[in-house]
Amino acid sequence: DDSLDKNLRDEEFRVVTPTGTYTVDMVAETCDCPDCLHRGARCKHLRLTSYARGMVPIPGWVNREAIDPQLGQHLSASPRIATADGRTEVFDR
């Protein structure tokens, strides 16, 4: 829904999950999910955003078929995945 993104600043992202919608701020490295708010931990939404933006490569041991084909779809950057030889490559859907 395009109306959701009008209130986001640069480096803020909306993560939509089956259980809720969360705002991730990559500058402050925060998320408004309960895990991040109450534990102060780096939550799965922050990690997902880092993977989707290609900032952090997806670990090479991950089953490629289990990765959501929409990962990074609405971003200009491309997700990367680690390869067996220690390098990274753009994740092809």
Side-chain angles (χ1 to χ4, degrees), residues 80-93:
R80 297 177 302 129
I81 192 163
T83 60
D85 61 4
R87 300 178 355 175
T88 64
E89 62 185 30
V90 172
F91 175 67
D92 287 326
R93 297 177 218 318

Side-chain angles (χ1 to χ4, degrees), residues 50-58 67-68 70-73 75 77-81 89-93:
S50 295
Y51 293 143
R53 296 180 69 212
M55 295 171 55
V56 174
I58 299 165
I67 299 171
D68 188 334
Q70 295 182 18
L71 181 67
Q73 179 180 357
L75 302 173
S78 297
R80 297 177 302 129
I81 192 163
E89 62 185 30
V90 172
F91 175 67
D92 287 326
R93 297 177 218 318

Side-chain angles (χ1 to χ4, degrees), residues 14-22 44-45 48 68 70:
R14 192 86 63 202
V15 177
V16 180
T17 71
T19 58
T21 300
Y22 305 103
K44 61 186 173 186
H45 310 107
L48 174 70
D68 188 334
Q70 295 182 18

Side-chain angles (χ1 to χ4, degrees), residues 20-89:
T21 300
Y22 305 103
T23 302
V24 172
D25 183 333
M26 293 304 290
V27 173
E29 292 191 4
T30 60
C31 177
D32 59 3
C33 74
D35 193 34
C36 194
L37 291 174
H38 299 293
R39 289 188 5 177
R42 186 166 173 83
C43 68
K44 61 186 173 186
H45 310 107
L46 280 161
R47 290 193 305 271
L48 174 70
T49 304
S50 295
Y51 293 143
R53 296 180 69 212
M55 295 171 55
V56 174
I58 299 165
W61 52 262
V62 171
N63 177 357
R64 288 178 182 235
E65 292 183 18
I67 299 171
D68 188 334
Q70 295 182 18
L71 181 67
Q73 179 180 357
H74 301 290
L75 302 173
S76 58
S78 297
R80 297 177 302 129
I81 192 163
T83 60
D85 61 4
R87 300 178 355 175
T88 64
E89 62 185 30

